Amino acid sequence: MIHSLFLVNSSGDIFLEKHWKSVVSRSVCDYFFEAQERASEPENVPPVIPTPHHYLISVLRHRIYFVAVIQSEVPPLFVIEFLHRVVDTFQDYFGLCTEAAIKDNVVVVYELLEEMLDNGFPLATESNILKELIKPPTILRTVVNTITGSTNVGEQLPTGQLSVVPWRRTGVKYTNNEAYFDVVEEIDAIIDKSGSTITAEIQGVIDACVKLTGMPDLTLSFMNPRLLDDVSFHPCVRFKRWEAERILSFIPPDGNFRLLSYHVSSQNLVAIPVYVKHNITFREGSSQGRFELTLGPKQTMGKAVESVLVSSQLPRGVLNANLNASQGTYTFDPVTKLLTWDVGKINPQKLPSLKGSMSLQAGASKPDENPTIIIQFKIQQMAISGLKVNRLDMYGEKYKPFKGIKYMTKAGKFQVRT
Amino acid sequence: MSANSLSYNEQGGAESAVEVGLESTPTSSGAGAGAGAGFGLFSTDYKKNEDLREMLESTKESLKLEAMKRIVGLIARGKNASELFPAVVKNVASKNIELKKLVYVYLVRYAEEQQDLALLSISTFQRALKDPNQLIRASALRVLSSIRVPIIVPIMMLAIKEAATDLSPYVRKTAAHAIQKLYSLDADQKEQLIEVIEKLLKDKSTLVAGSVVMAFEEVCPDRIDLIHKNYRKLCNLLVDVEEWGQVVIISMLTRYARTQFISPWKEDGIFDENSEQAFYESDEEKLGTPQSKPYIMDPDHRLLLRNTKPLLQSRNTAVVMSVAQLYWHLAPKQEVGVITKSLVRLLRSHREVQYIVLQNIATMSIQQKGIFEPFMKSFYVRSTDPTHIKTLKLEILTNLANEANISTILREFQTYVKSQDKAFAAATIQAIGRCATNITDVTDTCLNGLVLLLSNRDETVVAESVVVIKKLLQTQPTQHSEIIKHMAKLFDNITVPMARASILWLIGEYCERVPKIAPDVLRKMAKTFTVEEDIVKLQTVNLAAKLYLTNSKQTKLLTQYILNLGKYDQSYDIRDRTRFIRQLIVPNEKSGALSKYARRILLASKPAPMLESTFKDRDRFQLGTLSHTINSKATGYLELSDWPTAAPDSSVRNVEVMEPVKEWVPSMGKTKPLKSDDKFYSDSGEEEGAGEEGTGSSSEDSSSSSSSSSSNEESDSESEDKNSKHSEETDSSQSDKSSGHSDKKKADKKKRLQLKKKAKKAAPKESDSEDEGRKGKAARTGGSSNSSQASGSSETSTGSDSDSSSEPDTDSDSGTDQKKNPAKPKVKGEQKPKKEISLLDLDDFSPAPVASNKSSILSPSLLSDLEGLSLSSTPPAIQVSSPVFVPMSSHELLHRMTGKGLAAQYHFPRQPCIYGNKMVSVQLTLTNSSDHTLEDISIGEKTSSGQNIHRFSSIERLEPGASVTVSMGIDFNDSTQAANFQLCTKEDQFSVSIQPVVGELFLPVTMTEQDFRKEQGKLQGMNETSATITMAPENTSNQALSKKMVSVANMGVVPTGEDSLYRFAAKSVSSGDLVLVSVDLTDSSSGRLTINTEKTVIGSMLLRDLKTALAQP
C-alpha cells in the first residue's frame, strides 16, 4: 500500500518524509517535480504519476503537496482519501495545516503518521481514537508537561479502537451538555449570459458539535426528508433506520463532526438568490473596454444576502481597470489579471454596482471571450432547499441537553458567464 | 540536500553541525515539552551531534526525550542520524511511553542498516509481547515486525503465530499486518503464513477482517479456496468493518465473485431482489437444473450485492468507488444504475477525487451512456476547473451525446470553444468532431459551426478546426464542395502549418469537386513554396501530383516547377518525395509498370478516420484500480477473470453452523443448542431441516442436496463422534487426552467445532445408551476408513478439546510428545475391530464431492499430520547412537593472562553425559602456565545464569606446566544462553562462561527412513523451518556434505534411498525433542534445507548455522 510520504512545499522543497516500509530515496520525487514544471497551474499537476518503479499519488492542500509513493496496485482513491484524511487530522490538531505548523510540530506529526498507518495500511484514522493516543498540543499542556514530565502519548489502547462505536470514547463528561447542528447548503450554479440558469444544484451538509455526557443516542428527524436526493453519512448513522423511516438515528462522536452530506438534485427547481446585470464589452480596434456590473437580490425569502464577494479573471489583454464601486472595495491585480470586489451586504434599496473602463494592451486584438464572474455570498438563517429539522431527541441518558440548530446558505461554485 | 546530509554524517564537523544546529532550532523550540531545560542547558556546547548522544546517555528522562525529539526531527527532514543508533537503542526499554515510541520510530527507520545492533532490542520486544496491556503487546509486535532484519524471521514467525490467537482483536489485527511485513522480508515463509491467514480469516471480529484480507491479497491472492467458508461471513460483516478494510474486502470479493458465479448479463434474467423466500429455500432446486431455467442469480451473489449497497452512502470516497466498481463488474446491467448518484456526489469532493471518479465515469459512459444521462449537467465545465478535469468532463459529455441532447451539448460546447484555456478549446473542437461523426443528424450543423471557427483569431483553434473538418469531410465526401471552397478562401489567412497542410490535402483529395479552385491554390503555393514548413511542402507536392493526374492540361507546368523546387530543397524528405512523385506520375521510358497505376495509387479512396474516445480500451482494467487510471498494467495488478461458463459448486460456501449473521448475535446462541438437542439423533434429512437455510432441504434425489446433506451428515456424524468421544472420556480419560494432544495444532473448522461444542453441551449424557454407542463408532470409522481427509475431519473434531482449552495447555504438551506414543495404540486398538462392521452403513452417504473440497481446505501439513498419526501404531525405533563425528576444536574458557596462570579450554566430546540425561557433557582442559602450583581448582557454588551444572570434583593441586582434563555436565535447557560460572582456585575466582554452539545441544539418533518421514509428518507447519541454500562446490559430494553437516551439529545420519536427499536426525539433550534435518539438492550447488523440530528457536538457529557452513568451502 502506501510506501512513503513526502511533503513538498510550493517552492519545491521536500520538508518532511516518512517511510512505512524500507526507505525510498527522495530522488523519486524528481518525477513529481518534472510533472509540476510541465503543469501551468499548481492544480494541473496530475494526481497520479507513474514512474519506472513507483507510482506517485499526490494531493494538493493548503499549498502543500502530499506525495505518496506506491509500489504496487492499489485503488488510487484509497490513497487520495487517506491523504486528505491526514490533512484533516493535521488541521484538527494544529488549527491549520501549513508548512510552519507541520515543522513546529514535527514530533507530533511523526507520532500521528506512525499511528495512522501500519506497513502502509490505515490503522487508526478516527480523530477520537487518535486524540486518545496522542493528545493535541496546547499551550497549557506543553507547560504542564514541562513541569510534570508527563507526555502527550496515551498509555492505554483507546477504548474506541475495540468497541462497536469506534468513533466515540467512553467516559465523556461535560457540565454543560449541548448539541448544535449547522445545516449548511451550498448552491452550485452556472448562469448564462442572458441570466437563465444552465445548471443549479444544492449540496448540503449537517455539521454537528456535540458535547454530551455518556453514551447518548440521538435521533434527528426532518419535516421534509424527501427533499434529500442522495445522502452520505458519518459511519455512526444507522442506515437501516434511515432507509425505513427517514430518521437519522446515531450515537454521536464526541466533538465536531460531519453528520450528513446530501444533495438536492437539479431536477428540483433551485431558487437563485442573487442576480447579476453585467455589460462587459471590448471594442475592436480601441484600447478601451467597458465594465459594468450590478448585483441584486432575488428569491431570498426576505433574508439579507451577506459577505458578497465578486471575482473575475479578466482576459490577458487587459492592462488595467479603472472602476468605481458604489459600495465596498475592489482590487485588480495587473499580474494575474484577477479582479475582486468585496461587496459586503446587498441593500435591496440601493443595489451595489461596479462601473468603469478597462484599458487594453495597445494593438492587441479583442479578447474572444468575456470573463466569467464568480460570486460568493452567505445567507443566514435559511436553507435554500427548504429543508427543516423537525425534532431532535435523546435517549440513553438522563439529563436534558441544550439543543440548537442553525441554517445557512452559501454560494458554492456559483458562476455567471458573460 | 543530500550533499548536505552526507557531509553532516561523515564529518560531523563544525561547519555542517552549525547548520544542523540552526535547523533544529525551530523543531526543538516548537516541540515544546521538555525543550526548555534541555535546550538552554546545552545551547553552549550544542555544536556537535555529540550532545545528542550525551543527552541520550544522561539519566534524566526529560533530556533523553528532548534528544529523541530532535532526532526524529532529523529523520523527518531526511537527514541521516544512523550514527546515534547505539545510544538510541539503549532506551528501547524505557518506562516513558513517549520516549519509547520515539525510539521505536528510530529503530524501524534504521534497523535495516544496523542489523547487528538492532538485535539488541529484540529481547525487549519479546518481553513486551507478553505484556498484559494489549496496546503494548500490539505495538511491540508492530515494531518487531517492522524491523527488517532477516535473522529474526523465526522470532517474528513465532510472535505472529502467538498474536494470531491473542484474546485481543487489536493484537490479532496487528498480527495480520505483521504477516505482510514478514512476507515481504522473507517470501519463503509463505506456506506458514498462509496457515496463519487461514486461521485469521475465520476471525469474527470486524477489526481483524479488513487487515487479514489485506494480508491475503498480498501473500496468496490466488488461494481463493480459503475464502469459500468465510464468504458469507465477510459479506455480512462488511457494513461494520472499518472503512479502509471495506475497500480491500470489496475488491477481493469482486474477484472472488467473478470466479464463482455465472454471468448475470444475459437477457431474460429473472431478478429476485426482494423475494427473500427464493434466496435460500429454493437453492438446491436451482442448482439441480441450471440449464432448463433461464438465469437465476446465485443467492450468495445476491447477498454480496445487497450487503454492499448501503456502502454507497459512505463518506469515504474510496469505499463508494469500490462499491461502484463491484456493481459495475458484478451486477445485472439493469441494476448498475444505483451507483450513478453516488458517483456524481463524489464530484463535489477534492480535485484529486474528481479526477479519478471522472476517469471511471468516462469508461463507464462509453458502455452504458444511459445511466449517466440524467446527470449530464453535473459534468458541465466550470471555468475554474483544472485543465485535466475539464478534458475529462468533455470526454464524458461527448460520450453521453445522443440525438435528444445533442443540441444542448453543442450549445454548451460553444461556450467552451471560446474559453481562454486554449488547450481546452482545442479539445472541445475535437469533441465536436466526435459528436458530428457519431450523430449524423448534426454533422452539417457541426461542420458549419467549425467552418465559422476557421475565422477565429486563435491559431490553435483554427488549426484544430481544420484538422477536424478534414476528418469529417473524409467520412462524408459527397456534398461538401462548398466547405472546401470556403477553406480555400481562408487559406491565405491561416498560418498554422498543420492547418495549411490539412487544407492542401483536402483540396488535393477532392480536386475533382473544385476543378476551378484547385489549380489556383497550387499556383499560390508555387509562389510561397520555398518559405513553407516541411509538412506544407509535402502536401503541396501531393496536391501537385494529384492535379497533374486529373487536370494535367492546366497544371503541367506548375507541377514541374514545384517538382523542380522540391528537387533542390534542403530537406531530404522533400527531395525524396519529389523524386518519387516525379517517377510515378511523369511517364518516361525508365519508369516501369508503376506509372500506369499512378492514378490508382494517389487517388485511391481512403478509409475515413475513426473518431473514438481515448477511454475506449480502458475497460480491460478493473474500474477503480491504479492500472485503470494510468491505462497500463501496474505491478501487482490482478486480472479480473471472466465469468465461468458453468457455476462452480456453490455448496463450498456452506458453513455447517447457522447463518453467519446469527453467529455473532449472542441471543441466538441459546436457541441453537436446543434445536440440535431435538434433532441430535435423527437422520440426515431432519438434521438439515434444523440446520441453516443455506444447506438446502431434505430432498434426497437431487445431486446438490445429496452433497450438501452428506456434508451435513458428516458434521452430524462428527458431532456424534464427538459425543461418543465424550462418553469414552468417562471410561478412558487417558486415551482421550492423548488423542487430544495429538491434534492440538489443527485449529481447523472452528465454527463447526463450536457447533459441536454447543451440541455436546446440550446433548444429554446418556453415555451408556446402546444406540449412541453404535452411532458413535459408525461415525468414527466411517470417518477414518475411507480417506485421510475424512479421518482428518474426525480428528479435528476430537481436537476441539485441546483447541477450546486454554493456550498454555497446548504449549505444555510439547514435552510430552514422546510419551504419548504408547498411549495411542490403545485408542487405535479399540477402534479397529469396529471398522468392518459399520463401513457399509455409512457408504451411502460417504460424501465424494465434499470430501474433495475438504481436501482443498485442509492444509497439506495437516494432512500429513494425520497420515503420520494413523500410521504410528507402533512407536518408531529411535535410539540414541554414538556421534558420527567429534570435532576436536576446543574453545577458550580462560586465558592464562586473565586467569593468573590458569588457562582453561573446553570442548564438546559429544558423548551422552554421565551425570544426568539432560546435560551436555563438556570437557575442560586446565593448564597451569604459571610458575607456582595451583591448588583446589573447582567450580564456584554460585552460577549466575541458573543452569544446572554438574561440577567436576575439585583438583587438589596442579603443578606448573601440567595440565589436566576433567569433564562436567551442563543442562543448557535447550537454549544457546551461555552458562556462566566461576572457576575457583585457592586464591582467586574467575568468572567464565561457556557459550554452546547450537549443534552441540543434540544427541545423534538413528532411525529408519520410514520413521523419519513419519516423525517429519508430525512436525510440520510451525515446527518446520526451511531455506534455500547455495553450497560451496567443495561440499556438494555425498561425503563432504554429510561431514559438513555432522561437524556443525551432533546429528546422526539417516540412510536414504534417494540420491539427492540427505537426512539427519538428532534429539535435543534437555527435552528430548526430535530434530530432523533434511537437505534436498535441487542441482549441484543449491538445494533446500528443512528442519523439523518442536524447538523452533533452536531449529531456526541451526538452520542458520548449517546454511553458513554449507556455503563455506
Side-chain angles (χ1 to χ4, degrees), chain A residues 17 26 43 60 73 81 85 111 114 118 125 146 186 188 203 231 233 366 369 413 415 417, chain B residues 33 76-77 98 142 181 243-244 313 317 348 351-352 382 384 412 457 625-627 635:
Chain A
E17 63 180 65
R26 53 165 68 191
E43 288 91 33
L60 173 68
E73 175 63 51
E81 175 78 23
R85 211 57 83 74
E111 284 169 346
E114 190 73 29
D118 181 17
T125 47
T146 318
E186 293 190 0
D188 285 0
Q203 307 282 347
V231 283
F233 302 115
K366 163 183 171 256
E369 194 200 25
K413 295 171 180 167
Q415 302 193 343
R417 293 174 180 168
Chain B
R77 267 175 290 129
E98 184 167 21
R142 258 183 79 184
K181 299 183 209 169
E243 40 196 8
W244 308 109
Q313 253 66 49
T317 57
R348 277 284 293 176
R351 109 193 137 94
E352 297 86 4
R382 290 161 200 281
T384 42
E412 190 64 19
R457 250 186 317 275
T625 58
L626 182 62
S627 304
T635 347

Side-chain angles (χ1 to χ4, degrees), chain A residues 40-224:
Chain A
S40 47
E41 305 275 321
E43 288 91 33
N44 282 351
V45 179
V48 181
I49 302 170
T51 79
H53 301 290
H54 300 90
Y55 306 94
L56 305 178
I57 299 185
S58 62
V59 305
L60 173 68
R61 294 266 303 262
H62 308 284
R63 301 177 59 207
I64 299 172
Y65 289 100
F66 291 76
V67 186
V69 183
I70 311 297
Q71 214 157 29
S72 62
E73 175 63 51
V74 58
L77 268 187
F78 185 95
V79 182
I80 290 171
E81 175 78 23
F82 176 79
L83 292 177
H84 282 298
R85 211 57 83 74
V86 169
V87 182
D88 293 341
T89 310
F90 287 171
Q91 231 172 337
D92 195 22
Y93 264 73
F94 314 128
L96 67 175
C97 178
T98 59
E99 187 183 347
I102 290 174
K103 277 182 170 170
D104 284 352
N105 295 292
V106 73
V107 174
V108 181
V109 164
Y110 240 67
E111 284 169 346
L112 279 174
L113 290 176
E114 190 73 29
E115 287 303 330
M116 291 181 85
L117 276 187
D118 181 17
N119 196 35
F121 189 77
L123 193 62
T125 47
E126 204 63 56
S127 128
N128 262 277
I129 292 178
L130 284 172
K131 282 189 175 165
E132 270 185 78
L133 280 171
I134 301 146
K135 307 219 170 45
T138 58
I139 294 172
L140 180 69
R141 187 165 295 124
T142 312
V143 173
V144 169
N145 285 352
T146 318
I147 296 164
T148 61
S150 60
T151 62
N152 280 338
V153 178
E155 274 188 55
Q156 284 298 321
L157 185 69
T159 45
Q161 192 68 277
L162 295 174
S163 75
V164 269
V165 280
W167 52 85
R168 189 176 181 88
R169 60 197 171 95
T170 48
V172 185
K173 275 220 166 65
Y174 288 103
T175 44
N176 294 324
N177 288 296
E178 37 191 25
Y180 297 110
F181 294 88
D182 291 356
V183 180
V184 182
E185 293 192 341
E186 293 190 0
I187 305 174
D188 285 0
I190 302 176
I191 313 284
D192 81 352
K193 239 186 178 102
S194 59
S196 56
T197 310
I198 290 180
T199 165
E201 20 182 61
I202 298 172
Q203 307 282 347
V205 294
I206 299 182
D207 283 329
C209 175
V210 177
K211 294 180 172 174
L212 297 175
T213 310
M215 271 284 171
D217 198 331
L218 303 180
T219 56
L220 186 86
S221 61
F222 298 102
M223 305 273 265
N224 38 10

Side-chain angles (χ1 to χ4, degrees), chain B residues 3-17 48-49 83:
Chain B
N4 255 341
S5 67
L6 209 77
S7 67
Y8 162 67
N9 292 322
E10 285 172 354
Q11 304 160 10
E15 199 182 74
S16 51
K48 276 187 199 165
N49 225 0
E83 52 174 3

Side-chain angles (χ1 to χ4, degrees), chain A residues 339-356:
Chain A
L339 175 78
T340 48
W341 176 28
D342 191 350
V343 184
K345 193 168 164 180
I346 295 182
N347 180 358
Q349 270 73 50
K350 192 172 165 288
L351 298 178
S353 64
L354 184 68
K355 287 180 186 162

Side-chain angles (χ1 to χ4, degrees), chain B residues 388-602:
Chain B
H388 56 257
I389 302 280
K390 281 183 188 164
T391 34
L392 280 171
K393 283 185 171 176
L394 202 60
E395 178 72 40
I396 294 167
L397 283 175
T398 317
N399 290 340
L400 293 183
N402 58 23
E403 278 84 358
N405 60 21
I406 185 69
S407 55
T408 332
I409 289 183
L410 282 181
R411 208 177 312 133
E412 190 64 19
F413 280 179
Q414 267 172 13
T415 327
Y416 302 163
V417 166
K418 286 187 277 177
S419 164
Q420 289 176 29
D421 185 345
K422 289 306 167 198
F424 172 57
T428 310
I429 292 167
Q430 279 185 356
I432 293 173
R434 266 179 60 204
C435 288
T437 38
N438 294 342
I439 300 156
T440 43
D441 292 358
V442 295
T443 314
D444 290 342
T445 332
C446 290
L447 264 178
N448 290 336
L450 289 172
V451 170
L452 285 181
L453 285 176
L454 290 176
S455 44
N456 194 293
R457 250 186 317 275
D458 192 89
E459 283 186 356
T460 44
V461 172
V462 174
E464 201 66 48
S465 311
V466 169
V467 174
V468 171
I469 288 174
K470 185 196 106 181
K471 285 181 183 166
L472 278 180
L473 287 182
Q474 242 180 306
T475 57
Q476 303 186 309
T478 41
Q479 323 94 348
H480 298 297
S481 54
E482 278 308 309
I483 291 170
I484 298 175
K485 278 179 198 160
H486 183 77
M487 287 170 81
K489 271 182 219 157
L490 285 170
F491 186 71
D492 292 340
N493 300 328
I494 291 171
T495 52
V496 178
M498 186 64 205
R500 285 176 77 87
S502 291
I503 293 176
L504 287 175
W505 185 86
L506 263 180
I507 291 171
E509 189 66 25
Y510 305 113
C511 56
E512 278 162 305
R513 289 180 208 285
V514 282
K516 295 228 174 79
I517 293 170
D520 200 46
V521 172
L522 187 65
R523 182 185 56 81
K524 284 184 191 168
M525 283 316 294
K527 280 202 281 188
T528 57
F529 186 84
T530 44
V531 293
E532 296 288 349
E533 290 277 330
D534 282 4
I535 182 170
V536 183
K537 283 178 181 168
L538 284 176
Q539 288 307 328
T540 312
V541 172
N542 242 347
L543 173 66
K546 283 174 183 168
L547 279 175
Y548 182 84
L549 288 175
T550 57
N551 188 1
S552 62
K553 217 167 86 190
Q554 272 187 307
T555 56
K556 191 173 179 189
L557 288 172
L558 270 174
T559 306
Q560 275 175 352
Y561 175 66
I562 287 170
L563 290 179
N564 278 335
L565 285 177
K567 196 175 171 184
Y568 299 107
D569 199 87
Q570 285 186 323
S571 158
Y572 51 78
D573 262 355
I574 289 160
R575 295 199 299 271
D576 273 1
R577 179 71 66 88
T578 315
R579 222 167 283 140
F580 159 70
I581 292 285
R582 189 189 288 275
Q583 291 300 318
L584 190 62
I585 60 171
V586 184
N588 57 15
E589 63 279 7
K590 267 185 279 173
S591 68
L594 209 57
S595 62
K596 276 185 236 159
Y597 300 104
R599 202 182 165 86
R600 278 166 73 181
I601 292 171
L602 283 170

